[in-house]
Amino acid sequence: MNPIIPPANTSKWFAPEQGALKPLADTQLFTRHPGNPLLSRENWPYPINSVFNAGAVKLADGDTLLLCRVEDRSGLSHLCVARSANGIDDWRIDSQPTLAANPRDYPEEIWGIEDPRITYVPELEQYAVAYTSFARGGPGVSLALTKDFRSFERFGVIMPPEDKDAALLPRRIEGRWALIHRPMTALGAHMWISYSPDLRHWGSHKVILEARRGGWWDANKIGLCSPAIETAKGWLMIYHGVRQTASGGIYRLGLALFDLERPDVCLQRGDSWVFGPETSYERGGDVKDVVFPCGQTVGTDGDTLYVYYGAADSSVALATASIRSILTWLDANSNPADSAL
Ligand code: BMA
């Protein structure tokens, strides 16, 4: 029998029913840092249960700042800053919560605040922090602005429950601010975009990426991970998909690209997931089988992504990737029609 010889430019066969032969996903797009996990409860200057799901930003002085979700021993979460010159080790951690829930003035935070995403907004010369506020009505999206991660201007709830996984785009689109978020609606758990003239009043809501159905890795529930990355080819978004199994959910990461001036228009969506729980610190922890980035920084080469992710709701870990390689991968592995499955 003749051996099956793949075409020269592909090493493997993939999904013949989709027409042209496509290479299998390159799961090596993301490389774990050998020092993982970077931060866990042992590193904390005060007693906590766990630290995970951190927003990230590169400060003007070159430091990497992580705004970590910290779960204390009451079970509720607050946010705490860790700074490092190289973004890898020698973290300087605030000696007490940096941004704690304030349920007296913000009752939507009665069960804590979680999962911050940080966007630097040049027009405001401030960082916008979108985070989950958790109360009896469920999780909602709250917003705060800060210049220094010491004092914060709170805007309160900007998207009512049930909603989470939100991040602001760094600039206005046709004069309006744009927020990516993930409301739970009768339609399902899909990614939406909403617009605002002032960061307080939001409208023009639209679904931009749907959870797929059936056996897909991102069936039924998806959400934005770290904030969208502006590239020459479009807004690159890393999103999570949750596969429900008999033993619980598996949180994995996928890629999608959106039009620069029409961020509601999906240009490409990867067929397969590109990063999922494999190591012991991702497969085991308070919630097993979870990788959950909330932030990234870009290296001085303008190409290397440093993606900070929560591992198993127990620690903060780092994976690096090349933006150029991700965009090349999307060219070879996406099907625009998939955005509306
Ligand atoms: C999601 C969020 C994350 C969490 C993940 C896995 O719904 O609540 O904060 O990391 O579940 O538990």
Side-chain angles (χ1 to χ4, degrees), residues 229-242:
I229 302 154
E230 190 165 7
T231 76
K233 296 178 77 177
W235 295 102
L236 174 63
M237 297 194 204
I238 303 175
Y239 71 96
H240 62 259
V242 189

Side-chain angles (χ1 to χ4, degrees), residues 52-53 69 114-115 117 132 164-165 182 221 240 242 251 286-292 294 310 312-313:
F52 52 112
N53 300 2
R69 171 177 174 185
E114 308 175 349
D115 300 357
R117 274 83 168 185
T132 302
K164 53 167 62 173
D165 301 329
R182 204 288 306 282
K221 194 173 172 186
H240 62 259
V242 189
Y251 280 72
D286 275 6
V287 183
K288 70 181 185 68
D289 288 327
V290 178
V291 291
F292 201 94
C294 286
D313 284 12

Side-chain angles (χ1 to χ4, degrees), residues 97-323:
T98 310
L99 186 63
N102 174 5
R104 208 182 60 173
D105 297 328
Y106 299 91
E108 67 274 9
E109 300 179 358
I110 193 166
W111 290 338
I113 56 177
E114 308 175 349
D115 300 357
R117 274 83 168 185
I118 307 168
T119 305
Y120 181 68
V121 185
E123 180 186 328
L124 304 176
E125 297 182 345
Q126 298 203 71
Y127 300 95
V129 183
Y131 57 94
T132 302
S133 41
F134 191 22
R136 293 188 180 91
V141 175
S142 290
L143 184 74
L145 295 183
T146 184
K147 283 187 192 311
D148 54 10
F149 292 92
R150 294 186 207 288
S151 64
F152 295 82
E153 181 192 356
R154 275 170 140 107
F155 282 60
V157 176
I158 57 167
M159 292 293 161
E162 185 172 340
D163 205 330
K164 53 167 62 173
D165 301 329
L168 191 71
L169 294 190
R171 60 176 173 85
R172 296 173 191 257
I173 305 292
E174 293 183 350
R176 295 179 302 172
W177 301 109
L179 186 85
I180 313 298
H181 58 118
R182 204 288 306 282
M184 292 286 271
T185 72
L187 296 175
H190 309 309
M191 284 166 58
W192 291 61
I193 194 166
S194 300
Y195 298 91
S196 170
D198 57 5
L199 296 175
R200 292 187 185 277
H201 303 91
W202 294 88
S204 304
H205 314 290
K206 193 174 170 199
V207 175
I208 61 167
L209 198 71
E210 292 187 20
R212 287 184 262 213
R213 290 193 285 256
W216 282 89
W217 68 272
D218 55 355
N220 304 319
K221 194 173 172 186
I222 61 171
L224 181 69
C225 292
S226 33
I229 302 154
E230 190 165 7
T231 76
K233 296 178 77 177
W235 295 102
L236 174 63
M237 297 194 204
I238 303 175
Y239 71 96
H240 62 259
V242 189
R243 171 79 184 268
Q244 285 305 331
T245 75
S247 59
I250 306 176
Y251 280 72
R252 300 188 180 105
L253 310 184
L255 301 168
L257 192 71
F258 295 82
D259 188 278
L260 278 182
E261 297 315 317
R262 287 283 311 275
D264 58 309
V265 175
C266 180
L267 304 173
Q268 295 181 327
R269 180 185 196 168
D271 292 319
S272 54
W273 50 271
V274 290
F275 192 73
E278 285 177 16
T279 63
S280 56
Y281 54 88
E282 296 159 356
R283 299 226 56 203
D286 275 6
V287 183
K288 70 181 185 68
D289 288 327
V290 178
V291 291
F292 201 94
C294 286
Q296 75 245 319
T297 61
V298 180
T300 47
D301 60 3
D303 183 56
T304 307
L305 270 185
Y306 293 78
V307 178
Y308 294 90
Y309 63 98
D313 284 12
S314 296
S315 60
V316 177
L318 169 65
T320 53
S322 150
I323 296 175

